[in-house]
Amino acid sequence: EEVAKNLLAEFNLGCDVHQTEHVYRVYVATFLGFGGNAARQRYEDRIFASTVQKNRLLGKQTGLAPDTPYLDPCLPLDIKDEIQQNGQTMYLRGTGDFDLCRETIQPFMNKTNETQTSLNGVYQPPIHFQNSEFYGFSEFYYCTEDVLRMGGDYNAATFTKAAKDYCATKWSILRERFDRGLYASHADLHRLKYQCFKSAWMFEVFHRGFSFPVNYKNLKTALQVYDKEVQWTLGAILYRTRFLPLRDIQQETFRASHAHWRGFSFVYNHYLFSGCFLVVVLSILLYLLRLRRIHRRTPRSASTAALWLEEGLPSQKIAGAL
């Protein structure tokens, strides 16, 4: 139960934390090293290490020269490839065996015998497959669409047949199709070379790693949802901001994007306060000086009036004189 809590993220996408209708509870797990490219790198590292060890024990020269290549079932038929490590080169040639490739990469799932676990022994909650609907992005989409042109609704039997046919097709034919523009516009030679491996990897990850039944019908591979491209980075952003409602997110975004204004606003407010304080002090001083002048004039006027009265001047004249 504690493990499950650590893999549960709660998001409140409303503008108020009390808007519970915008609260979503999502199972979140990251499997570093289990993407298509990282998996291929681990696979090649294993090939290199195990082949070197076998050569030493059995006195063989497998992979050390182009005429004695290592036979890789996860590469298209007759393609030639190389692995460079520690200044050494290992030569590969593809045999295009999809089923053998699947069998070879199964140990890379790091599955355990425990129940309710997925890749690498990570806890996975039970899934009601008959009532579920899943979307596959990134490699799930590229692997089904770029070369096989099967993006959208996923069907395991159809996908497996297409992948087998692709792996078993000679590299010269695949390259000819590529030159004729028969694949997706953004498919490149790297995609063509490792499509066989990635097809087997995606199949094993989905059905063996995540334990989806082979007859599962509710997976859609997609690049966009409502014309918006969906990637894992969007999920990472939501995860990082899961404790903040949108109101606070907007404020934090403004502050972060205007970081250089914070120092400026502090200096500006500091000078503004000092200026206002100086104006108030000067006003008080001027007021005190004016009062002082008034007090000085009052005794002089009183003494002058008394002098005129002693000389017998009429009061009206005195008033006029004043």
Side-chain angles (χ1 to χ4, degrees), residues 39-317:
R40 178 65 193 184
Q41 184 62 53
R42 289 196 293 133
Y43 174 76
E44 291 183 353
D45 292 343
R46 180 75 62 84
I47 288 176
F48 191 92
S50 61
T51 304
V52 169
Q53 185 177 9
K54 288 181 180 179
N55 286 341
R56 290 175 181 174
L57 294 176
L58 303 177
K60 293 185 176 181
Q61 301 294 319
T62 303
L64 299 183
D67 56 344
T68 58
Y70 173 87
L71 302 179
D72 189 350
C74 296
L75 289 176
L77 183 61
D78 289 340
I79 189 176
K80 296 179 180 179
D81 198 12
E82 297 178 359
I83 300 176
Q84 303 282 344
Q85 283 194 8
N86 302 322
Q88 292 181 301
T89 301
M90 177 171 290
Y91 298 91
L92 311 178
R93 189 176 77 233
T95 61
D97 191 332
F98 181 76
D99 291 331
L100 181 57
C101 179
R102 284 179 48 201
E103 182 180 345
T104 304
I105 64 178
Q106 284 175 4
F108 290 87
M109 302 290 115
N110 289 349
K111 289 280 289 185
T112 64
N113 294 327
E114 300 177 9
T115 58
Q116 298 300 325
T117 59
S118 62
L119 298 170
N120 216 22
V122 176
Y123 171 82
Q124 178 175 303
I127 301 173
H128 300 287
F129 294 107
Q130 65 276 14
N131 299 323
S132 67
E133 183 177 357
F134 281 81
Y135 285 81
F137 302 105
S138 297
E139 188 59 47
F140 274 88
Y141 176 77
Y142 303 140
C143 190
T144 56
E145 175 62 22
D146 285 6
V147 173
L148 303 182
R149 310 312 298 267
M150 300 175 60
D153 294 332
Y154 171 79
N155 181 282
T158 305
F159 176 81
T160 301
K161 183 180 184 305
K164 284 183 177 180
D165 292 341
Y166 180 87
C167 292
T169 303
K170 288 187 176 182
W171 175 247
S172 58
I173 298 177
L174 297 177
R175 182 61 189 268
E176 179 186 356
R177 293 175 181 175
F178 174 78
D179 294 336
R180 291 166 55 192
L182 298 182
Y183 302 121
S185 59
H186 53 274
D188 54 13
L189 290 177
H190 184 275
R191 166 59 59 180
L192 261 67
K193 181 186 294 187
Y194 299 114
Q195 174 66 37
C196 181
F197 172 86
K198 291 186 176 182
S199 296
W201 181 257
M202 192 204 86
F203 185 91
E204 289 299 312
V205 165
F206 186 62
H207 294 292
R208 182 175 297 271
F210 297 144
S211 302
F212 279 75
V214 177
N215 60 351
Y216 185 73
K217 302 294 184 182
N218 292 326
L219 171 68
K220 294 180 176 61
T221 62
L223 182 65
Q224 295 180 335
V225 174
Y226 296 114
D227 298 327
K228 300 295 183 182
E229 185 171 351
V230 180
Q231 296 181 349
W232 67 269
T233 48
L234 178 59
I237 292 174
L238 290 175
Y239 180 74
R240 291 296 183 184
T241 59
R242 65 191 184 280
F243 299 118
L244 302 174
L246 289 179
R247 175 185 54 196
D248 294 339
I249 293 175
Q250 293 172 355
Q251 293 176 355
E252 291 298 327
T253 302
F254 177 82
R255 292 170 184 172
S257 61
H258 297 79
H260 61 285
W261 286 101
R262 284 185 288 185
F264 174 78
S265 61
F266 173 79
V267 175
Y268 176 78
N269 292 333
H270 177 74
Y271 282 114
L272 181 62
F273 174 79
S274 300
C276 293
F277 180 77
L278 182 61
V279 169
V280 172
V281 171
L282 290 176
S283 299
I284 294 174
L285 291 176
L286 290 175
Y287 179 73
L288 293 176
L289 290 175
R290 186 174 181 81
L291 287 177
R292 185 176 180 182
R293 290 177 182 177
I294 292 174
H295 284 297
R296 286 180 178 178
R297 291 175 181 177
T298 300
R300 293 179 182 177
S301 300
S303 60
T304 304
L307 179 61
W308 286 343
L309 287 173
E310 290 177 358
E311 293 178 355
L313 294 176
S315 59
Q316 294 180 352
K317 291 182 179 181

